[in-house]
Amino acid sequence: MNRLMPLLFSSLAIVSIFSFFLINSPNPFPITSKQDLNSVQNQPEDDNDHRLHSHAVQVKQIPPPTKDEECDLFKGQWVPDLRGPLYTNSSCRSIPESKNCFKNGRKDTDFLNWKWKPEKCELPEFDPKAFLEIVRGKKMAFIGDSVARNHVESLLCLLSQEELPEEIYKDSEDRFRTWYFPQHDFTLMKLWSKYLIAADERMVNGTGSGIFDLHIDKIDDEWAKHLPDLDYAIISDGHWFFRVLYLLEGDNLIGCVYCNQPNITGLNISNAVRMAFRTAFKYISNCKKCKGGLLTLLRTFAPAHFENGAWNTGGHCNRTSPFGEAQVDFTKFDWEMRNIQIEEMKGARKEGKNIRVLDITRAMLMRPDGHPGIHWGNQWMKGYSDCVHWCMPGPVDYWSNFLMALIRN
């Protein structure tokens, strides 16, 4: 035992450093690896206004597909589009430091010059004015981890080109936030949840271990208590499942992920993800106090693109252009994660609830060029690449194109 003590304290020290990062950073990475505008920066306002006007006059507004038309918005390819983004890091002042890739030194800009083109139709351009009219008098919440927050941050930049919101709530850890658009009586919320279900981190000498007990039969009430007030709930999750997890039903331990302990049933990530999303959808389906018009959207798993290692073993993401579909490996776990989430969503839809899918996985598997990489400005984690979150502006902005198409229909 005495021989093991130095190793134990050394291990706990490493865990403490990374636990501090995961708890205090708004951008946690998965702990376990998976298989695997230089000129835009600080542009004058006049130039930004011109770029926005250019979008307005050049884009042909395409109506939503009719019921008789065959259109899968989520199956297509990225095609060149030289008009550039709808905002920059000068026209949107709320871009978080960690997503402000140009401010943090990114020089290439070609990754901004692509748009998503479905195979059999067109994906309508995002129109902030039309979006705010659709959601007038409504409440919308994004429920999930820091990638869900990434989507909210992108949407805020897009909407701020039409109306600047008021921030009316922010918790001390920047995990629960609420904005209000007074001209449209629209409330936008970010509700943080690592797993969607109840979870407790195991502590060692008062320090988080990065190991979690998941209660597969209990919802995470921190987001669920807001559900009755919502008109739109966009749920997502996935990146926190790649670590040691113990799964409990009631007081009974039913298995674990990555623990490799005798007398405990070994489960895989797929089991944990399926149980978590099944519980979340069951809760939504059985919500008696929820509004009858509640629309729930599953935003499918957003893949990471670490190459030549994991985030903590030298993995990087320094590509500057999209993949074609032929370059995507659909045998990786990213696609399985997406399939599990959609299977559970379809099961919930059988209950008659209005649950639909915002399926971004295929499109984002083709965008290894959209991540901050080393350009995320974190002073405590220098040398590490962020290949999980997405630069702003960047391909993450197209998630709101999909969102608008779904809520408009």
Side-chain angles (χ1 to χ4, degrees):
M1 186 65 181
N2 290 336
R3 295 176 183 174
L4 291 174
M5 288 303 289
L7 177 60
L8 175 61
F9 284 119
S10 175
S11 300
L12 284 175
I14 294 173
V15 168
S16 298
I17 293 171
F18 288 114
S19 294
F20 176 84
F21 166 69
L22 290 167
I23 292 170
N24 292 283
S25 169
N27 308 296
F29 299 127
I31 283 183
T32 307
S33 65
K34 290 183 276 185
Q35 298 287 337
D36 341 314
L37 306 154
N38 47 12
S39 64
V40 175
Q41 180 177 341
N42 298 322
Q43 285 186 337
E45 294 298 330
D46 291 349
D47 192 26
N48 289 318
D49 292 342
H50 172 74
R51 293 167 74 95
L52 290 170
H53 177 69
S54 175
H55 269 272
V57 297
Q58 293 182 25
V59 174
K60 179 182 179 182
Q61 293 300 320
I62 299 170
T66 66
K67 294 181 179 179
D68 296 329
E69 292 177 322
E70 282 190 32
C71 178
D72 183 349
L73 290 175
F74 309 113
K75 189 171 184 179
Q77 61 183 325
W78 293 94
V79 299
D81 180 8
L82 301 181
R83 290 169 298 142
L86 286 173
Y87 65 91
T88 70
N89 61 354
S90 136
S91 67
C92 180
R93 304 300 173 87
S94 63
I95 299 178
E97 185 75 16
S98 59
K99 319 297 189 333
N100 201 337
C101 300
F102 296 113
K103 182 180 178 181
N104 291 318
R106 182 164 184 169
K107 302 300 182 183
D108 65 290
T109 61
D110 183 61
F111 76 102
L112 296 177
N113 297 325
W114 301 85
K115 71 173 183 178
W116 180 250
K117 173 65 176 71
E119 286 183 354
K120 297 183 179 181
C121 56
E122 297 289 337
L123 177 63
E125 290 288 332
F126 186 85
D127 183 340
K129 183 174 183 178
F131 186 97
L132 286 168
E133 284 299 328
I134 293 170
V135 298
R136 181 180 291 276
K138 306 292 187 181
K139 288 187 178 181
M140 173 182 289
F142 288 77
I143 303 159
D145 56 23
S146 59
V147 181
R149 172 165 35 210
N150 205 163
H151 189 180
V152 175
E153 292 160 348
S154 166
L155 179 60
L156 280 168
C157 279
L158 291 166
L159 295 179
S160 68
Q161 308 308 302
E162 178 66 24
E163 181 187 354
L164 290 173
E166 302 171 0
E167 185 171 56
I168 59 176
Y169 178 76
K170 179 180 178 180
D171 75 337
S172 60
E173 295 182 324
D174 192 20
R175 294 185 171 184
F176 295 83
R177 298 179 71 177
T178 303
W179 299 266
Y180 181 62
F181 293 77
Q183 295 176 28
H184 295 84
D185 189 24
F186 170 54
T187 302
L188 180 63
M189 306 174 74
K190 167 65 184 84
L191 305 178
W192 169 269
S193 183
K194 299 182 182 76
Y195 300 103
L196 298 178
I197 56 176
D200 300 311
E201 185 174 11
R202 295 191 174 188
M203 309 298 287
V204 178
N205 294 331
T207 302
S209 65
I211 298 172
F212 286 82
D213 293 326
L214 301 190
H215 303 275
I216 64 169
D217 54 347
K218 296 179 182 178
I219 201 68
D220 179 357
D221 190 57
E222 290 303 305
W223 70 263
K225 64 186 179 183
H226 295 281
L227 198 61
D229 298 325
L230 301 179
D231 300 284
Y232 304 98
I234 297 93
I235 69 169
S236 61
D237 250 330
H239 288 284
W240 282 81
F241 286 86
F242 298 89
R243 65 190 67 231
V244 178
L245 303 171
Y246 291 86
L247 277 62
L248 297 96
E249 187 169 17
D251 295 327
N252 300 318
L253 178 64
I254 64 171
C256 65
V257 177
Y258 287 137
C259 71
N260 299 317
Q261 290 182 235
N263 302 320
I264 299 181
T265 302
L267 301 173
N268 55 36
I269 298 172
S270 301
N271 301 128
V273 171
R274 187 176 297 280
M275 293 175 187
F277 275 84
R278 182 171 297 178
T279 297
F281 283 128
K282 182 179 179 181
Y283 182 87
I284 294 170
S285 297
N286 294 334
C287 180
K288 304 300 183 185
K289 296 182 180 179
C290 286
K291 297 179 180 179
L294 171 65
L295 172 61
T296 302
L297 297 176
L298 163 68
R299 196 270 292 153
T300 59
F301 187 65
H305 288 94
F306 289 100
E307 297 186 47
N308 300 316
W311 73 270
N312 56 349
T313 58
H316 59 79
C317 47
N318 52 15
R319 295 183 181 270
T320 58
S321 59
F323 281 156
E325 186 168 320
Q327 296 172 274
V328 174
D329 183 0
F330 288 101
T331 66
K332 285 189 174 182
F333 188 71
D334 301 302
W335 193 246
E336 182 181 345
M337 178 84 88
R338 172 257 187 201
N339 289 341
I340 291 169
Q341 294 173 347
I342 289 181
E343 288 168 8
E344 293 305 315
M345 181 273 298
K346 288 181 178 179
R349 287 187 67 174
K350 293 179 181 178
E351 303 297 321
K353 294 297 181 179
N354 192 9
I355 303 176
R356 302 182 69 185
V357 62
L358 200 169
D359 188 1
I360 56 92
T361 308
R362 181 190 300 271
M364 302 315 286
L365 280 168
M366 301 183 201
R367 296 310 304 264
D369 56 331
H371 301 285
I374 60 173
H375 306 294
W376 61 300
N378 191 293
Q379 299 301 311
W380 296 280
M381 302 289 289
K382 285 186 176 181
Y384 293 90
S385 292
D386 181 354
C387 304
V388 174
H389 303 95
W390 304 89
C391 288
M392 293 172 52
V396 67
D397 298 321
Y398 272 86
W399 299 8
S400 293
N401 291 46
F402 293 130
L403 173 61
M404 182 170 173
L406 289 174
I407 66 173
R408 184 168 64 177
N409 288 340

